[in-house]
Amino acid sequence: MSTDTQIIERSRREPAAFAELYDRHSRLVHRYAARRTNEQIADDVMSETFLVAFEQRVRFDTSRGEVRAWLLGIATTLLKKHRRVEAREWRSFTASDAAALAEHRDFTPDAEARLDAGARMRSLGSAVASLSKGDRDALLLYALGDLDYEGVAAALGIPVGTVRSRLNRARRKLQRATELQESRRANAKAAHGLETRDGRDRTAAPSAR
């Protein structure tokens, strides 16, 4: 089986060979774009990603990293024009949506170790939407694109050290959001318990006399 790099090299002589890359990675690109926006936008982003990649295949540097990182980097750039939709989708994501995502996710085996991958991150949708563009791109390429630090760096064209800084910053912000969520749940639970106890006390008062 040919590697991705070999397919690109062959496609420079035989353009039709590029279709093999589409067959291998179109689902990944579509899934990544859909989880950041919606299915309709994902269809357009996926098609445009492979069109851009095909046009740029001659200039692809085979030493720069994985081909899938290159493709996801193109998709990330194309998603810039859909920032408003993306932010709205993240903020409006519900608990049931998160549960469905968790049930149907098909991440790589180590995805469980990734920061707030899938449903856990969706539960913090507003916090993710509030991240800076650079931090959010790094986080989502890592968590939803199944890329490692080097892959994220290749996709965004930045040093690995910058990727680490962005992910650490995103982690801190999401951790604060998690702690705030937990605090609110605890306060709501305590308030509900107090109301329930007060209700029982008032009901029992007449018989006590």
Side-chain angles (χ1 to χ4, degrees), residues 64 151-159:
R64 61 173 289 180
V152 175
L156 297 178
I158 59 178

Side-chain angles (χ1 to χ4, degrees), residues 125-157:
S126 293
V128 174
S130 69
L131 294 174
S132 69
K133 170 186 168 297
D135 291 355
R136 186 165 63 249
D137 284 344
L139 176 68
L140 299 182
L141 280 166
Y142 180 73
L144 304 183
D146 297 340
L147 298 179
D148 57 17
Y149 283 22
E150 289 73 18
V152 175
L156 297 178

Side-chain angles (χ1 to χ4, degrees), residues 20-32:
E20 293 181 50
L21 278 186
Y22 179 89
D23 292 338
R24 286 187 184 183
H25 299 297
S26 59
R27 185 163 174 264
L28 169 66
V29 173
H30 186 276
R31 183 183 65 197
Y32 169 71

Side-chain angles (χ1 to χ4, degrees), residues 15 24 31 40 50 63 65-66 77 83 91 94 104 113 121 128-129 160-162 166 171-172 193 203:
R24 286 187 184 183
R31 183 183 65 197
Q40 182 178 356
F50 283 92
S63 67
E66 294 182 273
T77 298
R83 292 293 183 190
R91 290 193 172 97
T94 65
H104 295 101
M121 189 162 58
V128 174
V160 173
T162 302
R166 291 182 179 182
R171 283 190 181 98
R172 289 195 298 271
T203 301

